Amino acid sequence: QVRLMESGGDSVQAGGSLRLSCSYSIFATNCMSWFRQAPGKEREVVASIYSRGGNTDYADSVKGRFTISEDNAKNTLYLQMDNLKPEDTAMYFCAAGLEGGDICGIMYSGQGTQVTVSS
């Protein structure tokens, strides 16, 4: 049974840090991502990590501030978020899927965890 469960969302002030975690049980996938959704805005994939080579990708909006990592032994995906900005406010979701065309296609996602950054 596929399961992804996010945790770690919170309310912080600008400049602060948070680490999101995603406990997962998945199969037949070769990449994972974090994406976010804010009211009135399009979904944005902020970071991806690929099983092949452990390569990572980041959206320009978070590059240098966010770090995606994975602990395979614990079946947990992380997103370390530093120097948070008010525009990072959104519901954050972890996702799993298959790599194609240099992106991680989303097949499964969790219920999300809310991140709110105040100025």
Side-chain angles (χ1 to χ4, degrees), residues 30 48-58 68-70 72:
N30 62 10
S48 298
I49 187 166
Y50 299 88
S51 298
R52 184 169 56 91
N55 294 333
T56 56
D57 279 336
Y58 297 92
I68 188 171
S69 63
E70 185 176 11
N72 291 318

Side-chain angles (χ1 to χ4, degrees), residues 4-94:
L4 299 102
M5 185 175 298
E6 304 91 340
S7 62
D10 205 345
S11 296
V12 297
Q13 291 194 326
S17 297
L18 282 175
R19 188 175 81 156
L20 306 183
S21 299
C22 173
S23 172
Y24 62 80
S25 174
I26 55 176
F27 59 93
T29 61
N30 62 10
C31 60
M32 297 194 74
S33 295
W34 287 95
F35 67 91
R36 63 188 181 187
Q37 181 82 57
K41 295 186 178 180
E42 292 187 359
R43 184 178 72 183
E44 180 184 24
V45 177
V46 297
S48 298
I49 187 166
Y50 299 88
S51 298
R52 184 169 56 91
N55 294 333
T56 56
D57 279 336
Y58 297 92
D60 288 342
S61 58
V62 307
K63 200 169 293 184
R65 301 187 297 120
F66 289 12
T67 304
I68 188 171
S69 63
E70 185 176 11
D71 186 334
N72 291 318
K74 295 182 178 180
N75 284 356
T76 303
L77 182 73
Y78 301 101
L79 184 68
Q80 177 67 41
M81 305 187 295
D82 298 318
N83 191 21
L84 283 160
K85 304 176 180 180
E87 52 263 43
D88 294 320
T89 295
M91 185 73 79
Y92 284 73
F93 301 83
C94 72

